[in-house]
Amino acid sequence: MVQDDEKWFYKQGVQENGPFTTKEMNNLIQKGELKLVTSVKRIGQEWNAAESFKELHFEKLANSIARPWSRYWARGLDMLILGFLMGILMSILSTISFNTRIDGFFLGIATLILAIPFEACLLKLWGTTPGKWILGISIRDSEGQKPKLRKAFQRSVLVWWRGQGAGLPIVSLIFHLRGYQQLKYDLGMTTWDRDSEVVVSYRTKSWWGELLVWLAAVLIIYFRIISFLP
């Protein structure tokens, strides 16, 4: 007979599922049916995020499915696309010239800021962005739907600061490293995904998917190198 403290329930939308034992709950985690933000409770307790229960183990899952580099290169592709669009706009306006490194620095800062509404609108419409779509990454809320605009905008603001350090030298590097540590080893997700209550999913790994990741990396590194050449 299962003891009361071993009876777990979780929600999928408005539907309650259970009871399950702790072992069964951890098996559901490994199958991907339980996420960090899934609402979970025991008998006689309040609903809470699954990540708040120490008996539920997400660490092994985080090490096996987290893809920080895919996410990094996907964002890099999005920045290249947005930078290209901004370049077209400035060439049309032809009233501002960015010829110095200082100007280039501020252009980069402006691109990151403009990326906030750019990304938020795309996540609301499609649940992904061009870079994420190419690398097989999608964003959904805890009910499996495309995030609402408010949540998408909140996530993009958090990414701008916590993930990219607002583009500030040194600060940006430190925040990137911290985000990698949280995603790969500590939480299994980033704090901006957690606080905006969204779930990141990935396309099943394949040789051509891995090839796309490497091609994206080469493309981004190439454009970043030539941007510093006279």
Side-chain angles (χ1 to χ4, degrees), residues 8 14 31 50-51 53 77 80 89 102 104 117 130-131 133 148 203:
W8 296 82
V14 296
K31 293 177 181 177
E51 64 176 327
F53 296 93
L77 283 175
L80 282 180
L89 177 61
I102 295 178
W133 178 77
K148 294 181 179 178
R203 181 170 51 219

Side-chain angles (χ1 to χ4, degrees), residues 57-198:
H57 303 145
F58 289 90
E59 296 84 1
K60 293 181 181 179
L61 182 69
N63 290 336
S64 62
I65 68 169
R67 302 183 191 176
W69 284 110
S70 293
R71 293 176 60 157
Y72 179 80
W73 299 126
R75 181 160 293 276
L77 283 175
D78 287 334
M79 292 300 101
L80 282 180
I81 293 169
L82 182 56
F84 176 73
L85 294 176
M86 288 181 64
I88 293 176
L89 177 61
M90 287 189 296
S91 67
I92 294 174
L93 297 176
S94 67
T95 56
I96 303 174
S97 176
F98 295 93
N99 294 320
T100 68
R101 288 200 173 186
I102 295 178
D103 289 332
F105 169 76
F106 286 112
L107 177 61
I109 296 292
T111 302
L112 290 180
I113 293 174
L114 288 174
I116 295 173
F118 174 77
E119 180 185 53
C121 291
L122 291 178
L123 292 181
K124 170 65 175 69
L125 292 172
W126 300 331
T128 189
T129 63
K132 290 180 176 62
W133 178 77
I134 291 170
L135 297 185
I137 300 170
S138 62
I139 309 293
R140 295 292 185 269
D141 62 20
S142 57
E143 297 181 356
Q145 304 299 316
K146 289 177 286 190
K148 294 181 179 178
L149 184 60
R150 182 178 64 84
K151 286 292 184 181
F153 189 82
Q154 176 188 4
R155 181 183 184 275
S156 295
V157 171
L158 292 175
V159 171
W160 169 75
W161 174 242
R162 296 182 189 174
Q164 299 175 298
L168 301 174
I170 308 302
V171 175
S172 178
L173 175 61
I174 293 172
F175 281 28
H176 272 103
L177 293 174
R178 186 174 66 176
Y180 178 91
Q181 178 71 23
Q182 291 169 341
L183 176 60
K184 187 67 177 178
Y185 300 109
D186 296 341
L187 302 176
M189 71 188 313
T190 61
T191 59
W192 49 90
D193 292 332
R194 179 196 64 193
D195 293 347
S196 53
E197 299 176 326
V198 300

